[in-house]
Amino acid sequence: DTGVSQDPRHKITKRGQNVTFRCDPISEHNRLYWYRQTLGQGPEFLTYFQNEAQLEKSRLLSDRFSAERPKGSFSTLEIQRTEQGDSAMYLCASSPIRGTSTDTQYFGPGTRLTVL
Amino acid sequence: QKEVEQNSGPLSVPEGAIASLNCTYSDRGSQSFFWYRQYSGKSPELIMFIYSNGDKEDGRFTAQLNKASQYVSLLIRDSQPSDSVTYLCAVNSGGYQKVTFGTGTKLQVIP
């Protein structure tokens, strides 16, 4: 399978705990994105990496959220001191840096977070 | 005003008809436009993208872009019950890689 993969697919945690999600982009894609989606809404942009550089962060990404892509390959998204309002689907997407559709993003299956 | 607007629906069409899904956007500098479909509980799947004014066809799908009027639409010909999912419009305003999504239109194809 050469698509975007995410792990875990589901996560249930108690309020106040820390959680970390992983995303592995399509292998030749240099750009990686994180989104959050709640019921009835479209995906909301959180952050964007080009290779290992984090080039854009949304104001939605509070101080409790941190994302890394240390070697320009996989990425992690950590949420510290989770709150019930963090319950959502966390989506990762990637896009190529060369070619005719360099801003076309392909999504992974998502990680569904439930904070109790 | 939302950056990308879609009617949440549901939009109901009979089987075999043409479904027309519409999307408007606020940023005149927008460069790239995308349609995704999303099954309940799943992640968005790319249907097609369009960059230039006019029509772009791919199988039963046609994307239409009118930058002067700031709208983009998706036509689905010969609609099937299996097309009954939520369709997301997404717009890239250029400069950096942030894509803004609409809230989606739920399509119901009635057998």
Side-chain angles (χ1 to χ4, degrees):
Chain A
D1 186 3
T2 57
V4 179
S5 62
Q6 292 186 245
D7 183 71
R9 298 288 302 275
H10 302 273
K11 179 70 177 179
I12 300 174
T13 191
K14 292 182 179 179
R15 188 179 55 181
Q17 298 295 305
N18 299 344
V19 294
T20 300
F21 309 141
R22 175 178 170 130
C23 171
D24 287 85
I26 294 171
S27 59
E28 62 268 25
H29 286 185
N30 300 79
R31 293 175 171 148
L32 186 147
Y33 316 80
W34 285 100
Y35 292 85
R36 180 173 68 188
Q37 186 175 24
T38 54
L39 196 63
Q41 301 297 315
E44 295 175 293
F45 172 82
L46 293 177
T47 191
Y48 154 62
F49 290 85
Q50 182 162 310
N51 299 313
E52 65 275 10
Q54 188 174 21
L55 298 184
E56 183 70 21
K57 285 177 64 173
S58 166
R59 283 173 289 179
L60 290 175
L61 217 63
S62 75
D63 291 344
R64 297 184 297 105
F65 288 71
S66 62
E68 294 183 342
R69 195 182 182 197
K71 298 182 179 178
S73 56
F74 72 91
S75 175
T76 58
L77 177 69
E78 181 183 18
I79 309 174
Q80 296 183 326
R81 304 181 303 281
T82 53
E83 301 172 357
Q84 289 184 325
D86 297 331
S87 296
M89 176 80 90
Y90 289 83
L91 295 162
C92 177
S94 68
S95 68
I97 200 168
R98 295 183 180 85
T100 58
S101 58
T102 57
D103 58 355
T104 301
Q105 299 180 21
Y106 298 88
F107 283 84
T111 295
R112 180 165 297 282
L113 173 66
T114 301
V115 181
L116 302 176
Chain B
Q1 183 187 6
K2 292 182 180 178
E3 294 180 55
V4 179
E5 292 208 46
Q6 295 181 257
N7 188 319
S8 61
L11 172 67
S12 295
V13 299
E15 183 175 355
I18 296 175
S20 178
L21 302 156
N22 299 315
C23 171
T24 59
Y25 58 94
S26 59
D27 186 346
R28 284 195 170 274
S30 298
Q31 303 286 327
S32 313
F33 307 85
F34 307 87
W35 283 100
Y36 289 81
R37 65 186 173 196
Q38 187 171 28
Y39 295 86
S40 180
K42 304 296 185 182
S43 64
E45 298 175 359
L46 180 70
I47 299 172
M48 61 194 305
F49 56 85
I50 186 167
Y51 298 148
S52 304
N53 276 329
D55 295 0
K56 180 181 179 183
E57 187 175 318
D58 185 358
R60 294 189 298 116
F61 298 100
T62 299
Q64 298 177 319
L65 175 61
N66 184 322
K67 289 186 177 181
S69 300
Q70 295 176 240
Y71 82 79
V72 58
S73 62
L74 180 70
L75 302 179
I76 306 174
R77 289 182 299 281
D78 188 23
S79 296
Q80 301 297 310
S82 58
D83 295 325
S84 299
V85 296
T86 295
Y87 292 84
L88 296 167
C89 172
V91 175
N92 186 333
S93 298
Y96 54 88
Q97 298 300 315
K98 174 187 169 184
V99 169
T100 302
F101 283 81
T103 55
T105 297
K106 186 174 178 61
L107 175 66
Q108 286 183 343
V109 180
I110 311 299

